[in-house]
Amino acid sequence: METTATTRNSEMPKLKPREMELLVLRQLQLHGQKPIADQLGIDESTISRWKQGHIEQFCKFLAALGIQLAPPEAVLVRRDYLFSMETLAEIGMKAERMRPEPIGFN
C-alpha cells in the first residue's frame, strides 16, 4: 500500500513573533483595554504601556521558548492525530477511485 506519511512535512507552520503580537493586539482591541485591565487587577494605563514594545518583546520570548499562540476559534489537535486522519482519508479516496461506478449511481 502506498503511503505518503513518510513524505509529509512533520513541521507544522509556526507564527512569527510579529504575527503573535498582531494576534494579541487584535484580541485586545476586540475585548477592550479596560475590561482586560480590570480582570488583571491593574490600571488601564499599564496595558497602554505594554503596547509600546512589551507585548512585542513577550511574543519574541514565547517564540524563543517554542510556545505558539492560537486564536480562540482555532481547533487544536495533536500532530499524530492529524496524520492519522490524513492517512484514513487517503485510504478512503483510494478505495473510491477503485469503485467501478461513481458514488451514488446503482
Side-chain angles (χ1 to χ4, degrees), residues 5-23:
T6 56
T7 61
R8 286 190 189 117
N9 183 0
S10 61
E11 187 65 31
M12 301 303 275
K14 293 182 179 175
L15 290 177
K16 296 176 182 160
R18 178 66 180 148
E19 294 168 322
M20 286 194 279
E21 180 185 7
L22 291 173
L23 179 61

Side-chain angles (χ1 to χ4, degrees), residues 36-56:
I36 298 299
D38 290 345
Q39 190 173 0
L40 295 174
I42 60 176
D43 192 76
E44 188 177 355
S45 63
T46 302
I47 300 282
S48 292
R49 283 193 300 277
W50 287 356
K51 289 170 40 178
Q52 307 306 318
H54 292 290
I55 293 174
E56 177 186 3

Side-chain angles (χ1 to χ4, degrees), residues 76-87:
L76 305 177
V77 296
R78 289 173 38 134
R79 187 173 290 124
D80 58 344
Y81 175 82
L82 180 62
F83 289 155
S84 297
M85 298 311 308
E86 288 176 345
T87 300

